[in-house]
């Protein structure tokens, strides 16, 4: 059984949806998971913000744009089911207007943002049916449900999709990204969460593989938006892919890897615009070659430095620091320590004021924004000589603020000012590859 996920660009037009349908038929995908048509979620976020501020003109402006976008897609894609799809579209935009008029920050926002995936999946299912396939559209929030700790209930997914796993004649379509919270309200998995949806559903039905389809030919060894002469990586391990995804590789959501790794399910990264391209295969197979495989960068990093003489020869200090970040559900990316100071980084500073306030009881605090983490991924055994030196030789002209090396044999990360990111990525590409 195969589970396929298609991103927003892949379903961004009627022509692209036709390509997706051909791939679904060719791959005999039992479950197809869709993002919203490209640009939709951004528009829905703008509508939510306008609703919160009472800006009716901005709401109508965005809805007019979406109406034009989806009407054009439906008219180009459908024949017999065209009127049904147009009626569904009008009902969807009516619901958005109602939610915007009686806006409630949590529920209305999430209901509005969910409509992109719901409308896109309904249109695509109608097209599959018109092409002669037996197709059914599932409602992901029925079985993608978070527990009170914000984790998705995987057992519930398995129970709900048991009939899907046993049905070889139906092509099921589901929405990525959206889910329900522990109180039954519609919610989502965050930006890029459709990949995670696919991984969880694939694990639940014990799929042979999960395919992530985008508009890029697999994972590249560096960021092609900033770096010249990058190349796609054909095979990589789960651990390498997890490092790259976490540290900025945009093609894959970081949470995707673990469910597939736990169940031994290969993940294929493929290009909808070039289906015959090999893409990237991520699996348990490990390359024993001691080398550098790829580089990724994550922006928006905030550094927090804690200076305290109370650390000297003390124990329990770091526990107190970590407890503060746990209280505000803020993950730490990098950390370095000395006898009287701790430096750490976060990529989410939404609770930074509260965190700094609580940390101030432990010592003096410095905050520095505008940083990037650049991570070199490969196979770097702890006993190998010269590999780290090669990395630092490449970036000898770049001021480095922090270094993370030795936690695993998979990565070496450095913290730099974001203004140096492009130069750093290019230098590493030229020097290592």
């Amino acid at each position: 059984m195969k589970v396929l996920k298609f991103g927003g660009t892949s379903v961004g037009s009627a022509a692209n949806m036709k390509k997706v349908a051909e791939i679904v038929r060719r791959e005999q995908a039992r479950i197809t998971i869709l993002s919203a048509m490209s640009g939709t979620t951004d528009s829905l976020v703008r509508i939510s913000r306008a609703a919160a501020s009472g800006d009716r003109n901005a709401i109508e402006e965005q809805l007019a744009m979406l109406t034009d976008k989806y009407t054009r897609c439906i008219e180009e894609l459908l024949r017999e089911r065209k009127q049904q799809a147009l009626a569904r579209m009008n009902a969807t935009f009516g619901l958005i207007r109602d939610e915007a008029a009686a806006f409630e920050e949590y529920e209305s926002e999430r209901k509005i943002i969910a409509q992109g995936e719901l409308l896109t999946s309904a249109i695509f299912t109608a097209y599959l049916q018109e092409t002669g396939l037996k197709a059914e559209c599932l409602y992901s929030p029925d079985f993608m449900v978070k527990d009170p700790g914000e984790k998705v209930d995987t057992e519930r997914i398995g129970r709900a999709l048991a009939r899907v796993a046993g049905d070889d004649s139906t092509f099921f379509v589901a929405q990525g990204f959206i889910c329900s919270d522990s109180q039954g309200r519609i919610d989502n998995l965050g930006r890029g969460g459709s990949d995670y949806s696919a991984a969880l559903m694939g694990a639940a039905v014990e799929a042979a593989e999960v395919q992530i389809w985008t508009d890029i030919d697999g994972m590249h060894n560096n960021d092609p938006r900033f770096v010249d002469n990058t190349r796609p990586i054909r095979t990589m391990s789960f651990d390498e892919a997890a490092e790259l995804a976490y540290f900025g590789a945009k093609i894959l959501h970081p949470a995707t890897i673990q469910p597939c790794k736990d169940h031994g399910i290969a993940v294929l990264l493929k290009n909808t615009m070039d289906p015959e391209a090999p893409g990237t295969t991520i699996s348990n197979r490990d390359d024993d070659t001691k080398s550098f495989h790829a580089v990724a960068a994550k922006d928006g990093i905030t550094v927090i430095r804690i200076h305290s003489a109370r650390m000297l020869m003390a124990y329990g200090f770091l526990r107190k620091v970590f407890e503060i970040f746990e209280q505000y559900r803020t993950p730490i990316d990098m950390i370095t320590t000395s006898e009287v100071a701790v430096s750490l980084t976060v990529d989410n500073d939404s609770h930074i004021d509260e965190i700094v306030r609580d940390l101030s009881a432990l010592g003096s605090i410095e905050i520095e924004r505008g940083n990037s983490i650049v991570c070199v991924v490969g196979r770097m055994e702890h006993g190998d000589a010269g590999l780290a030196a090669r990395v630092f030789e490449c970036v000898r002209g770049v001021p480095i603020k922090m270094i993370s090396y030795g936690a695993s044999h998979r990565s070496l990360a450095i913290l730099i000012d974001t203004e140096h990111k492009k130069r750093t990525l290019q230098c590493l590409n030229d020097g290592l590859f």
Side-chain angles (χ1 to χ4, degrees):
M1 177 184 291
K2 295 179 181 180
V3 172
L4 275 59
K5 175 264 174 180
F6 293 88
T9 304
S10 296
V11 292
S13 67
N16 285 357
M17 284 194 186
K18 290 177 181 179
K19 292 179 183 177
V20 169
E22 291 173 5
I23 294 169
V24 167
R25 184 190 292 270
R26 184 188 71 184
E27 296 291 328
Q28 288 294 294
R30 292 274 66 84
I31 304 177
T32 299
I33 296 143
L34 302 182
S35 299
M37 287 181 70
S38 55
T40 302
T41 301
D42 288 338
S43 291
L44 295 175
V45 169
R46 293 187 195 105
I47 289 172
S48 296
R49 290 173 179 167
S53 64
D55 189 345
R56 302 296 303 176
N57 289 334
I59 293 170
E60 291 304 322
E61 179 182 329
Q62 293 297 319
L63 283 173
M65 185 198 69
L66 289 173
T67 299
D68 180 68
K69 180 187 188 75
Y70 279 87
T71 299
R72 187 166 59 250
C73 176
I74 290 168
E75 290 182 343
E76 293 176 6
L77 191 67
L78 300 174
R79 295 183 301 277
E80 297 92 345
R81 291 169 172 77
K82 180 189 297 185
Q83 294 306 317
Q84 178 185 350
L86 289 171
R88 171 64 185 270
M89 178 194 73
N90 290 328
T92 295
F93 295 151
L95 181 151
I96 290 172
R97 283 190 176 91
D98 292 342
E99 289 296 332
F103 190 78
E104 295 180 13
E105 187 171 351
Y106 182 94
E107 292 194 45
S108 296
E109 178 187 29
R110 284 159 175 76
K111 282 182 183 177
I112 289 171
I113 292 174
Q115 299 311 308
E117 276 74 16
L118 291 169
L119 183 55
T120 301
S121 59
I123 294 169
F124 182 74
T125 303
Y127 178 69
L128 290 183
Q129 293 166 345
E130 279 203 0
T131 63
L133 297 181
K134 181 183 176 184
E136 179 182 335
C137 190
L138 304 172
Y139 182 63
S140 294
D142 278 346
F143 53 87
M144 297 287 290
V145 180
K146 293 180 181 177
D147 63 23
E150 293 290 296
K151 293 184 178 180
V152 178
D153 184 346
T154 54
E155 292 184 3
R156 182 166 182 161
I157 301 172
R159 292 194 300 271
L161 297 185
R163 73 178 182 91
V164 173
D167 186 343
D168 292 332
S169 63
T170 304
F171 290 82
F172 292 93
V173 179
Q175 308 82 34
F177 176 65
I178 63 174
C179 62
S180 295
D181 67 11
S182 60
Q183 299 179 46
R185 301 173 297 184
I186 199 160
D187 201 353
N188 61 68
L189 300 172
R191 285 291 184 144
S194 293
D195 293 350
Y196 189 37
S197 300
L200 291 171
M201 292 186 210
V205 299
E206 298 182 357
E209 60 189 37
V210 171
Q211 298 180 8
I212 307 294
W213 290 78
T214 67
D215 57 352
I216 301 174
D217 183 18
M219 186 88 77
H220 277 235
N221 67 324
N222 211 321
D223 194 329
R225 297 171 301 172
F226 303 106
V227 177
D228 296 328
N229 301 317
T230 67
R231 55 177 173 76
I233 304 170
R234 296 308 177 200
T235 61
M236 64 192 318
S237 70
F238 283 122
D239 289 342
E240 289 174 334
E243 294 271 10
L244 287 173
Y246 184 76
F247 284 108
K250 300 298 183 184
I251 193 172
L252 188 66
H253 189 278
T256 306
I257 298 301
Q258 198 61 47
C260 294
K261 180 181 178 181
D262 290 344
H263 290 79
I265 300 170
V267 178
L268 276 65
L269 308 181
K270 301 279 285 180
N271 186 352
T272 308
M273 312 310 160
D274 186 8
E276 302 307 318
T280 301
T281 299
I282 304 168
S283 68
N284 279 319
R285 293 186 61 184
D286 205 355
D287 184 356
D288 291 332
T289 305
K290 297 179 176 64
S291 64
F292 304 106
H293 293 170
V295 178
K298 182 194 287 191
D299 298 333
I301 303 298
T302 299
V303 181
I304 303 172
R305 298 187 178 92
I306 310 162
H307 299 268
S308 176
R310 293 163 54 186
M311 285 183 63
L312 190 62
M313 303 297 291
Y315 56 86
F317 187 88
L318 286 178
R319 174 181 57 81
K320 296 174 183 177
V321 171
F322 292 147
E323 285 175 346
I324 291 171
F325 284 88
E326 180 183 10
Q327 178 183 351
Y328 296 105
R329 295 191 174 186
T330 302
I332 295 170
D333 290 320
M334 295 175 65
I335 182 168
T336 61
T337 67
S338 71
E339 282 299 321
V340 293
V342 178
S343 292
L344 49 84
T345 70
V346 298
D347 63 2
N348 179 357
D349 64 358
S350 58
H351 295 289
I352 195 71
D353 292 338
E354 298 97 318
I355 290 171
V356 169
R357 181 196 63 209
D358 292 358
L359 287 174
S360 295
L362 302 177
S364 62
I365 310 299
E366 296 178 12
I367 300 294
E368 185 180 327
R369 291 180 169 86
N371 300 287
S372 297
I373 294 174
V374 176
C375 183
V376 179
V377 171
R379 190 175 184 90
M380 295 168 271
E381 299 293 349
H382 298 155
D384 296 336
L387 292 179
R390 286 181 59 194
V391 173
F392 292 118
E393 176 63 22
C394 294
V395 296
R396 62 185 181 278
V398 178
I400 297 175
K401 299 179 178 181
M402 289 175 64
I403 299 167
S404 177
Y405 182 49
S408 77
H409 60 259
R410 286 294 177 198
S411 66
L412 186 159
I414 59 175
L415 182 77
I416 60 172
D417 193 295
T418 299
E419 69 176 87
H420 302 305
K421 182 186 78 169
K422 183 175 180 179
R423 175 162 64 105
T424 301
L425 292 176
Q426 190 66 60
C427 288
L428 288 167
N429 200 68
D430 295 343
L432 300 181
F433 307 121

